[in-house]
Amino acid sequence: MAATIKTPQEQEKMRVAGKLAADVLDMITPYVKAGVSTEELDQICHDYIVDVQNAVPAPLDYKGFPKSICTSVNQVVCHGIPGPKKLKKGDIINIDVTVIKDGYHGDTSKMFAIGKAPIASQKVMRVSWEAMWAGIDIVKPGTRLGDIGEVIQRHTESNHCSVVRDFCGHGIGANFHEDPQVLHYGRRGTGMKLEAGMCFTIEPMVNSGRPETKVLPDNWTAVTRDRSMSGQWEHTLLVTPTGYEVLTFRSDEVPPSFVRNFNQ
Ligand code: MF3
Ligand code: CO
Ligand code: CO
């Protein structure tokens, strides 16, 4: 299946879904504190999405996933299942929210530090965020997927971190995961060319040690094999005729200073 080009009507629905997903991250932020359990955070997000947004939490029952958000703490790379364990000082956590509104998906995640985190944790938080923006900022018609992979990989490795290969970004729309796969490593000049109207995510996972991951016996939780720290951020994007629109943008996020083409 090739990447779909969204019609103006579909683009508007993607904008609405993206805004709702971003709003959930804004809403949950004051609750992300030492002593809260990840299943409490899940319950608060679930109720907000269902009762306030009149939307659907996409992860719930997706391929058997048991909760409404993913919560990935410290060495968890992605797809952490919310549970009774409480956050404590020095932890870092990624909260990944995907909502379905009017049949369309918005998918976004951000990192939080609980108090002052160790240097390696701070580093993967920063480098994964910068790497995501380095990839975002070259999005426009004609850019190739390999161009995006290369800038993300280069930024990550020049900061002495590694890019996870086992998970990738993805096309998104009426389906949670659509073509194309958006790899966070690669070579410029290779891969599919972007066209206006495409929607996809960029969501690099960056480890402080080696890139290899393994999935725990719960069949979801992916962790670093070497137990090093892992960071991830995610935005859903629309390719515009002149550049990109970040559909999941939050007002608390000021893009890094190297970003030149924001929402053009
Ligand atoms: N939100 C994740 C992504 O960015 C996917 C989570 S799948 C789930 O693609 F089943 F774990 F929710
Ligand atoms: Co995603
Ligand atoms: Co996601």
Side-chain angles (χ1 to χ4, degrees):
M1 195 186 87
T4 63
I5 306 295
K6 271 70 180 174
T7 65
Q9 291 75 16
E10 290 179 301
Q11 292 175 21
E12 193 48 41
K13 291 182 182 188
M14 290 298 292
R15 249 176 227 116
V16 171
K19 170 81 167 76
L20 292 181
D23 287 348
V24 176
L25 288 178
D26 279 336
M27 180 281 300
I28 200 64
T29 293
Y31 296 96
V32 186
K33 293 267 147 62
V36 75
S37 69
T38 50
E39 69 192 1
E40 287 168 335
L41 297 174
D42 175 75
Q43 189 68 54
I44 297 164
C45 289
H46 173 95
D47 292 349
Y48 188 79
I49 293 166
V50 171
D51 300 332
V52 178
Q53 298 186 328
N54 290 114
V56 174
L60 188 59
D61 296 328
Y62 177 77
K63 298 185 177 175
F65 192 79
K67 296 286 185 179
S68 295
I69 59 172
C70 295
T71 50
S72 301
V73 178
N74 295 335
Q75 75 282 0
V76 179
V77 172
C78 63
H79 302 167
I81 301 173
K85 204 161 163 193
K86 293 179 161 72
L87 297 177
K88 58 180 192 313
K89 269 200 209 132
D91 284 346
I92 56 169
I93 179 176
N94 172 280
I95 298 183
D96 192 337
V97 170
T98 313
V99 306
I100 312 172
K101 182 73 171 182
D102 205 3
Y104 285 79
H105 291 70
D107 189 7
T108 186
S109 76
K110 71 175 263 197
M111 299 293 302
F112 301 83
I114 311 303
K116 191 171 160 54
I119 293 292
S121 303
Q122 292 183 32
K123 186 163 193 191
V124 293
M125 283 183 68
R126 173 181 64 79
V127 173
S128 56
W129 179 70
E130 291 169 350
M132 174 189 70
W133 276 105
I136 289 174
D137 206 44
I138 62 169
V139 169
K140 61 173 195 275
T143 294
R144 288 173 175 270
L145 288 178
D147 304 345
I148 295 173
E150 181 171 313
V151 299
I152 291 171
Q153 182 178 8
R154 192 189 320 117
H155 186 81
T156 301
E157 293 176 354
S158 67
N159 281 275
H160 311 286
C161 293
S162 65
V163 176
V164 169
R165 313 293 205 266
D166 300 336
F167 303 92
C168 58
H170 50 92
I172 183 168
N175 304 293
F176 196 160
H177 296 109
E178 303 184 351
D179 280 349
Q181 292 196 24
V182 180
L183 304 184
H184 302 116
Y185 59 95
R187 285 294 153 250
R188 68 179 170 220
T190 67
M192 201 194 69
K193 270 189 186 170
L194 300 180
E195 294 170 40
M198 288 178 180
C199 289
F200 62 92
T201 71
I202 296 182
E203 49 181 301
M205 286 139 275
V206 167
N207 297 349
S208 60
R210 293 193 50 83
E212 291 81 10
T213 72
K214 69 173 180 199
V215 176
L216 298 185
D218 65 21
N219 281 323
W220 280 104
T221 310
V223 299
T224 55
R225 275 197 179 264
D226 63 4
R227 311 279 167 95
S228 64
M229 291 294 137
S230 192
Q232 179 181 28
W233 299 72
E234 176 176 24
H235 274 307
T236 297
L237 310 166
L238 166 68
V239 185
T240 65
T242 50
Y244 60 88
E245 197 178 315
V246 182
L247 300 178
T248 46
F249 192 69
R250 303 178 313 279
S251 50
D252 74 333
E253 186 177 12
V254 179
S257 52
F258 62 74
V259 166
R260 309 231 163 265
N261 307 311
F262 182 64
N263 275 1
Q264 283 191 358

